[in-house]
Every structure is written in C-alpha cells, then in structure tokens.
Amino acid sequence: VAALAWLEGQWQSADGKWAACYSSPLGGEIVSATKKIEDGKVTLFDFERFREVDGVVVLTPFPHGKASVDFKERASTAPPGGKIAIFDNPDHDFPQTICYKPVKTDSLYAWISGPTKGATQRQGYRYQRIK
C-alpha cells in the first residue's frame, strides 16, 4: 500500500463536478472519499479502501456508501513517464477494472472499464491536485 502514496491528497476535476480525497498509507491502508457535485449539490458519492490481503493490495469500493466487491491489484509500476495502479475483478459486472495514473505531480487520471451491453465501456476522470 505504501507504493500508492502518490495518491495522497485532495483532487478536483477541472469543471469542479468531481472532488476526491485520498489519505496517506499510514497504518497500512489508504481510504478515500469521492463526490460528484451538480447544481451545487452532491449527487453521487463513494468511498474506497486500499489494503494488503495475503501479500496483494486490494481495493474495495463502496459506491453510494454501500459495500461492494474486492478488486485485486494486477499491476503497480513506475515506467518512464509515471506510475500506474491497476485493479481487477473479472467476476464483477461493471466495472471489472479500476485504474489510477498520475499524469504529472499535480494531475491524476482515473478510469473504470468493463463490459456493458456486449461492448467494453471506459469512463475516465481527470483531476488536478488542490492540496
């Protein structure tokens, strides 16, 4: 989990509709909260928990605050050009993959993907670090 410390901080989309906050990996876990804001009101929220289970980093999302399924880390690398963290659960409906990639030290691109109605769908989210 410590290798994901680059997620720590407060992030916001350029249009101000999405805000996310990731804790430090202190205590061996990262927790996060994300919200979508439309017309000045929160219309969607979720939490996430990153922890190690049997030597593998596991991400558990809580969409709308409700328990979900675990996604196991497939890759966490630091290739030239930046890091990437990829979590998978091939048995889940949608999404089956959750990814995080810093674009620069102050930008983050996150996306979810998986099958929907017979085709692969991908939803991306771009954030700027605000703290």
Side-chain angles (χ1 to χ4, degrees), residues 70-115:
D70 291 338
F71 290 76
K72 292 183 179 180
E73 186 174 46
R74 171 174 27 122
S76 182
T77 59
K83 301 173 177 81
I84 189 167
I86 303 170
F87 298 87
D88 290 315
N89 184 329
D91 298 326
H92 192 249
D93 52 4
F94 183 86
Q96 290 183 344
T97 302
I98 302 172
C99 302
Y100 303 88
K101 180 178 172 135
V103 180
K104 299 176 183 175
T105 58
D106 64 346
S107 299
L108 173 68
Y109 182 61
W111 68 94
I112 58 176
S113 62

Side-chain angles (χ1 to χ4, degrees), residues 38-79:
E38 296 177 297
D39 298 323
K41 296 180 181 179
V42 173
T43 59
L44 182 144
F45 72 94
D46 65 27
F47 305 112
E48 293 174 318
R49 180 182 182 204
F50 300 79
R51 67 196 189 290
E52 190 173 316
V53 177
D54 298 328
V56 176
V57 177
V58 173
L59 162 61
T60 305
F62 294 81
H64 307 282
K66 298 176 182 172
S68 182
V69 298
D70 291 338
F71 290 76
K72 292 183 179 180
E73 186 174 46
R74 171 174 27 122
S76 182
T77 59

